[in-house]
Amino acid sequence: MAGFKVVVVPSNSEGMVDLAALQRAASKATAGLMITNPNTLGIFERDIVKIASIIHEAGGLLYYDGANFNPILGKVRPGDMGFDIVHLNLHKTFATPHGGGGPGAGPVGVTRSLERFLPVPMVGYDGEKYFLDYDIPDSVGKVRSYFGSVGILVRAYAYIMSLGIDGLEAAGETAVLNTNYILSRVMKEKIFELPYSGRRKHEFVLSTRKLTDRTGVRALDMAKRMLDSGVHAPTIYFPLTVDEAMMIEAPDTENLYDLDEFVNALVSVAREAEKDPAIVKGAPHQTTVGRIDEVKASHPRTLKLKWDSPKPKQDKRV
Ligand SMILES: *Cc1c(COP(=O)(O)O)cnc(C)c1O
């Protein structure tokens, strides 16, 4: 951390960066600000240019976390929003929704003025062939392994080439449309709350708080019960700024039938929570593996990573 510390800047009632709070937090000691746009609530930071100038005036850098890049594909470039550094989570935006739980990889892009600090090696070109260039005097040096998860890079490259520029833009637009379709259908049911008032792009985060207070059924229970309907459960308890959070984001690949199936599953679980909370709290019931002990599963002393081979049986006739 080089002596720096993390300062959290709060959101305003719309769910965007609170500009006054950002202004108060920014000072000569500011190294930079890291944000996603659209942010984790799925809301586009309309004041991004103002945010950039507050950080730049303090002498800091603006870092783009590319985790939510898909809805703005073909619409706006991070550099034009004022970002100095950008990483793209290729495993998210380019071919693997939610990263698929697998490895990730992503290129880091910087403005011209930061280029000389990039890690080595860089790919150079001598007019005839490409080569790995280690001769960059101000480089921060080598950062971990160079190649990373190459498979993800190949997959993202193939995805980008097969869709083309128009296809990528359409993928982003369709993700926004799909998510807003789910949002409007779910909110019509008046079961859940939607904290913050901003317009959503590719994802939204609802709260099950009121239903949970009434029935004792938590977001976790409802997500588990949705597995019994054969749909992919939403992300839960993220971001931490929303109580009993359920984060719903529909990729561009879902068709109307699947979107309806998802909404029906969510709504029927909520109704079931009112009528028969015990069923929901014991879910999932239809999956091969039931509810796992997540604490035990992540504890190195209790986590079993291999099968114990059975002792060979003694043959008494020999
Ligand atoms: C997914 C996500 C991350 C983590 O990214 P990975 O590349 O999957 O590790 C970080 N920040 C935000 C806002 C995200 O949505």
Side-chain angles (χ1 to χ4, degrees), residues 34 36 38-40 65-68 87-92 98-99 102 104-105 203 238 247 249:
M34 176 174 181
T36 56
N39 61 33
T40 299
D65 171 355
N68 295 319
H87 82 246
L88 297 176
N89 310 46
L90 296 182
H91 51 288
K92 288 186 169 177
H98 288 275
E203 67 189 4
F238 183 79
M247 171 190 265
E249 75 188 292

Side-chain angles (χ1 to χ4, degrees), residues 88-92 96 99 101-106 144 147-153:
L88 297 176
N89 310 46
L90 296 182
H91 51 288
K92 288 186 169 177
T96 329
R144 218 167 159 271
F147 291 101
S149 299
V150 174
I152 298 295
L153 303 179

Side-chain angles (χ1 to χ4, degrees), residues 16 88 116 184 195 218 255:
M16 304 193 303
L88 297 176
R116 63 197 175 98
S184 91
R218 302 192 62 198
N255 61 31

